[in-house]
Amino acid sequence: MTHQHATRRIVIKNQQGLHARPADAFVKLANQFQSNIEIERDTLRVSGKSILDLLTLVAEQGVQLTIIADGPDAEAAADALAALVETFVEEDDQPDTPTD
């Protein structure tokens, strides 16, 4: 099996930043891949497979992060995770449904 290395730069676009719910979705997706996945903000690099690590990034709206994947499915992992981050904007922009 071929070892791959992939990086993707992402910008957190949603108003609430990378809070617990999107971080949980990110970690669940990251754990579906065999590759080692790390997220870097400036000089801080954490595991992309740990929700606690992701939350230490304090990634607010406008923050630029780098997804770094190393392993047999690195390209697919980086693409899927970058695409997932794009959906965070759509999810958080949905109006709350009023309850009776």
Side-chain angles (χ1 to χ4, degrees):
M1 192 168 280
T2 305
H3 180 86
Q4 301 175 354
H5 176 82
T7 62
R8 302 290 183 275
R9 291 187 191 268
I10 56 173
V11 176
I12 302 300
K13 297 178 182 173
N14 65 325
Q15 294 179 347
Q16 298 177 6
L18 186 60
H19 58 84
R21 188 176 31 167
D24 180 55
F26 189 96
V27 167
K28 285 179 179 172
L29 181 59
N31 279 304
Q32 293 178 16
F33 294 95
Q34 295 178 1
S35 294
N36 181 49
I37 297 168
E38 295 179 313
I39 308 298
E40 187 174 75
R41 176 181 179 183
D42 302 322
T43 58
L44 179 62
R45 187 182 287 200
V46 301
S47 171
K49 295 186 175 184
S50 165
I51 190 167
L52 291 177
D53 280 8
L54 286 183
L55 293 176
T56 64
L57 294 172
V58 191
E60 300 168 337
Q61 185 180 32
V63 167
Q64 183 175 5
L65 303 174
T66 303
I67 299 169
I68 304 157
D70 282 296
D73 52 4
E75 289 287 340
D79 286 343
L81 291 166
L84 176 66
V85 171
E86 290 295 322
T87 68
F88 296 161
V89 174
E90 297 166 8
E91 179 181 301
D92 283 348
D93 285 346
Q94 297 296 317
D96 292 334
T97 304
T99 57
D100 294 327

